[in-house]
Amino acid sequence: MSAQRRSAGARGDGRPSGAERPATPRCAAELARAEAAAAAGDLGAALLHLRAATALEPARAEAWHNLGVVCARRGDMGAAGAAFATAARLRPGWAEPHYAAGHVGYRQGDYAAAERAFENALACDPGHLAARVDLAQALLHQRRPTAAAGQLMRARAAAPADEAIWWLLRGALLLLRRDEDALADWAAFARSAAAARVPASARMKVAALASAGRGGERTVEAGALAAVLEHRFVPGESQACAEALALVQYHDVEPAALRALYAGYDELMAVELGFASPDASPDGIPIAPPHAMPIASPAATPASAPTPAPGARRDRRLRIGYLSADFRGHVMGELMQPVLAAHDRARVHVTLFSLAPSENADPATARFRAHADHFVELADRDDAAAATLVAAARLDVLVDLMAHSAFARPGILARRPAPRIVTHLGAHGGVGLSSVDWKLTDRVADLPDGAGALRERLLVMDGCVLPLRPFAPPPARYSRDTLDIPRNAPVLAAFVGVQKLAPRCIDVWRRVLERVPDAILLFSPPAGDERAAIVRRLSGFGVPPARVAFVPFEPSHRTARYALADLVLDTLPYTGGDTTASALAAGVPVVTRCGRRHAERMGASILTHAGLADLVTGDDSGFVDLACRLLADPAARAAVAARVRAAFADPALTDPARYAAALERALERAAERAAEPGARR
């Protein structure tokens, strides 16, 4: 929350403008002494001088307001709130005491009270930009993104060149799955920044890369990727850096460049959390003039990593914690729920740490609770408090199921709340923090050195690193006629989001379409505006809309879509995880291409462990040749489909108990191995 943005008519220093009569000489002297003491950091003296000023002139709203500010800085929120209330009563129509009271509510975690206070400030001054922005943030904390987006749109209209407001609105729109609106707003902001010749910031570069991934301009996308990889992220930019780490996985990036980005992120987080000193002063952090006395914005207090409580444990089971936002009806939840149910409770003690708000709970959440010894909700805790709760569980190993996916909380991991931390699933990549010891993998999903891209050590488990689903024939729910798909056209299922459609992926798929002129790409995006993005992107890279069809996305009937498919072309370089496993479980063959990084090898891991390594190719041309050969030979394709069904009907491949046992063995090894020398890798 910024205390720096003010309405056009406000002084910007926290004092009332215009109507209050000049202070008496004695009161003015006390106010000046208070200001000087606050500037010197002597809040005790400032408090004494302000109390003297209010005693001399009890009706002076300015004195009560600044008294509230000093009380808030000293941590006395009760006294601060009372002082702001007095200032507001003494000067009706003055927005600043209400605005400051909103900060008090925010600091106390009472976001409903903060919302009311910011609304009162806006009632006094509808042009108070800071109050509108901070109202939006209070609404976001109350998980009301639609209302927050409305406030931020008004703020954007008032300050179209304000980067912080644009970034907040972008986050709210993405949370609402309004990606096309976020794209349009980015274009508008980028035009205004270019017109003003504003240098591109970290956030602007990351947004440019994300937006380019929804367009079809190769040169623009290549430039955006290069700009992100070349950017030196500085303290205050960790959120943008984390998003960059998630985005670049979908692109053809040299492992060394990816590892360098991870290393920069690790150092950045260490500085932001106070574990290390910055090499240089952070850029772009506004410093308020001392006389303004703004309440400090709420932020994580630098702290050392939490330490588990001492004392001997009577229960010698391996204590495992799982950290996720998806202990619910979600793809990742569906993968892990059978595994957790199959854990050997005589060997392991399980605690689930949920990052999702309690209102997101569904019937699947109740099943997760039943499979755990403890279920701990962290959504309403900041990272430091959440890490303390995790540490209190006295785990042997914490398993992160998020990496840098949506709703991840790497700030918890950075505080090392467990003696060993393993990252697993969530995304095809690492976290990049020194506090994360291991990346769970298998004998195919990573090369022995992680291709030089990962910073985590590799923890190799038996079998496939991804839990696989058993074969279930897809029901015939959809008709080719109703979807305008020619009855004899080969259908290539591509049930992925637009972000997986990398330039090389579309180039390779286009080569298949050129050799099989009647083939159709079939998509099933969950969001309506994703259709437009898919068509725009494919068209930009030479795949005409006539070669694209769509089948409705229905969460309860996801499997039925595969009844329309003849073959699945895996994405590259970010290969499929559950998308590949789901297609194979429906009996549909998948063709993949194996590369060097973890993201490029997951499809190969799934197929190899299923005994279907002949569907794995080593280069782009081999991928095209294999796909075209299967499409041209229905008998060969049917034989492969029969092998797929047989493989995924074999319990040895898909048994959750077998997977859980392999996972337990791997985590036991992680817990037993001593930490390697050197805190930072």
Side-chain angles (χ1 to χ4, degrees):
M1 293 172 56
S2 170
Q4 300 306 305
R5 295 186 199 92
R6 306 280 173 174
S7 61
R11 287 178 50 153
D13 61 2
R15 301 175 179 180
S17 54
E20 221 170 29
R21 60 179 174 77
T24 64
R26 288 180 63 195
C27 183
E30 294 293 349
L31 290 173
R33 292 185 188 107
E35 185 174 313
D42 189 349
L43 296 181
L47 183 66
L48 291 174
H49 291 302
L50 286 168
R51 290 203 183 281
T54 58
L56 289 167
E57 293 194 42
R60 177 156 294 280
E62 176 187 2
W64 285 103
H65 178 274
N66 282 352
L67 176 63
V69 170
V70 170
C71 289
R73 287 190 179 181
R74 286 167 57 91
D76 189 348
M77 296 302 164
F84 292 136
T86 300
R89 176 177 55 78
L90 291 171
R91 184 155 177 72
W94 184 28
E96 293 307 315
H98 298 291
Y99 177 63
H103 279 256
V104 169
Y106 203 104
R107 287 263 299 270
Q108 293 177 313
D110 189 346
Y111 301 114
E115 176 191 355
R116 292 190 297 272
F118 292 138
E119 285 178 337
N120 288 337
L122 288 168
C124 296
D125 179 5
H128 198 303
L129 186 60
R132 194 169 301 285
V133 172
D134 294 345
L135 170 59
Q137 296 196 73
L139 291 167
L140 287 171
H141 273 282
Q142 295 176 81
R143 295 182 273 276
R144 293 161 59 193
T146 301
Q151 294 294 338
L152 289 168
M153 286 176 183
R154 295 181 65 178
R156 280 276 291 127
D162 191 302
E163 180 181 316
I165 297 175
W166 156 72
W167 182 256
L168 283 170
L169 177 57
R170 175 180 181 267
L173 292 173
L174 294 178
L175 188 63
L176 291 166
R177 302 288 181 90
R178 294 171 56 182
D179 297 75
E180 289 293 284
D181 289 337
L183 177 65
D185 192 54
W186 155 247
F189 179 75
R191 285 193 298 270
S192 65
R197 298 186 178 179
V198 175
S201 66
R203 294 186 291 200
M204 293 169 67
K205 291 175 183 178
V206 168
L209 179 58
S211 299
R214 297 180 68 84
E217 299 181 44
R218 191 185 301 269
T219 303
V220 169
E221 190 164 344
L225 177 61
V228 166
L229 293 175
E230 293 166 4
H231 182 79
R232 182 181 180 273
F233 291 88
V234 299
E237 296 178 346
S238 61
Q239 183 185 3
C241 189
E243 185 175 344
L245 281 167
L247 287 171
V248 299
Q249 298 288 348
Y250 296 95
H251 293 268
D252 285 309
V253 176
E254 285 299 315
L258 183 55
R259 185 179 174 88
L261 188 59
Y262 279 131
Y265 176 69
D266 188 25
E267 295 298 330
L268 185 63
M269 287 288 283
V271 170
E272 289 189 358
L273 294 179
F275 300 149
S277 299
D279 295 331
S281 299
D283 295 330
I285 300 176
I287 304 299
H291 58 267
M293 296 189 194
I295 298 176
S297 303
T301 303
S304 59
T307 321
R313 284 190 350 219
R314 286 188 242 176
D315 185 352
R316 297 315 304 167
R317 293 180 294 169
L318 180 73
R319 298 177 69 89
I320 305 172
Y322 291 96
L323 181 70
S324 177
D326 299 321
F327 297 131
R328 55 191 174 94
H330 181 275
V331 169
M332 298 310 298
E334 292 171 6
L335 286 175
M336 287 303 297
Q337 190 264 325
V339 174
L340 295 177
H343 265 317
D344 182 352
R345 304 305 287 280
R347 294 181 60 193
V348 300
H349 176 286
V350 175
T351 302
L352 302 184
F353 296 97
S354 176
L355 300 175
S358 56
E359 57 265 30
N360 282 17
D362 58 18
T365 306
R367 292 192 291 273
F368 274 107
R369 287 180 178 273
H371 301 325
D373 293 274
H374 299 288
F375 190 98
V376 182
E377 295 181 338
L378 301 179
D380 293 325
R381 309 274 183 162
D382 65 21
D383 288 347
T388 299
L389 277 179
V390 175
R394 297 173 61 209
L395 304 172
D396 294 306
V397 59
L398 175 65
V399 181
D400 163 55
L401 297 174
M402 301 298 293
H404 288 294
S405 59
F407 309 110
R409 299 273 298 276
I412 298 174
L413 304 178
R415 291 169 166 84
R416 189 180 272 282
R420 298 289 179 270
I421 301 178
V422 175
T423 187
H424 179 37
L425 302 179
H428 296 347
V431 179
L433 295 172
S434 295
S435 56
V436 180
D437 303 284
W438 309 95
K439 169 70 177 175
L440 197 68
T441 187
D442 59 42
R443 290 176 176 81
V444 179
D446 280 282
L447 295 171
D449 64 348
L454 294 172
R455 302 190 79 231
E456 296 88 351
R457 288 165 283 168
L458 296 177
L459 181 63
V460 180
M461 65 178 288
D462 299 324
C464 183
V465 70
L466 186 80
L468 301 177
R469 306 167 185 263
F471 169 67
R477 178 176 175 81
Y478 308 107
S479 163
R480 288 192 172 205
D481 291 338
T482 58
L483 297 174
D484 294 325
I485 299 174
R487 294 186 181 183
N488 296 322
V491 173
L492 305 172
F495 300 149
V496 298
V498 68
Q499 66 181 355
K500 283 194 172 184
L501 303 180
R504 182 162 61 94
C505 178
I506 302 175
D507 288 343
V508 171
W509 287 9
R510 190 187 67 246
R511 288 164 59 186
V512 174
L513 295 177
E514 289 170 351
R515 286 175 54 176
V516 186
D518 54 345
I520 295 290
L521 288 172
L522 182 65
F523 290 86
S524 182
D529 65 0
E530 192 86 346
R531 285 193 179 201
I534 289 171
V535 171
R536 179 175 61 239
R537 185 152 179 80
L538 292 172
S539 298
F541 287 91
V543 177
R547 305 299 297 275
V548 180
F550 293 92
V551 60
F553 176 82
E554 298 177 279
S556 58
H557 299 288
R558 289 199 303 255
T559 304
R561 303 174 296 175
Y562 289 101
L564 297 164
D566 296 299
L567 187 68
V568 170
L569 300 182
D570 203 356
T571 48
L572 59 144
Y574 196 100
T575 59
D578 187 63
T579 53
T580 296
S582 295
L584 295 167
V588 182
V590 178
V591 174
T592 193
R593 193 263 207 223
C594 187
R596 292 182 294 167
R597 294 186 286 124
H598 185 94
E600 300 173 285
R601 300 177 65 86
M602 181 60 76
S605 172
I606 295 168
L607 288 164
T608 301
H609 282 97
L612 300 164
D614 53 313
L615 295 176
V616 180
T617 64
D619 55 46
D620 296 351
S621 295
F623 182 101
V624 174
D625 291 342
L626 177 57
C628 292
R629 189 162 63 248
L630 289 173
L631 290 172
D633 189 343
R637 191 169 68 245
V640 172
R643 290 173 52 216
V644 169
R645 291 193 296 271
F648 281 79
D650 184 354
L653 181 67
T654 62
D655 180 16
R658 186 167 181 163
Y659 183 95
L663 178 59
E664 290 165 12
R665 291 193 296 271
L667 296 179
E668 284 172 346
R669 293 200 312 274
E672 291 168 359
R673 289 177 65 170
E676 293 184 358
R680 301 200 171 274
R681 293 186 294 279

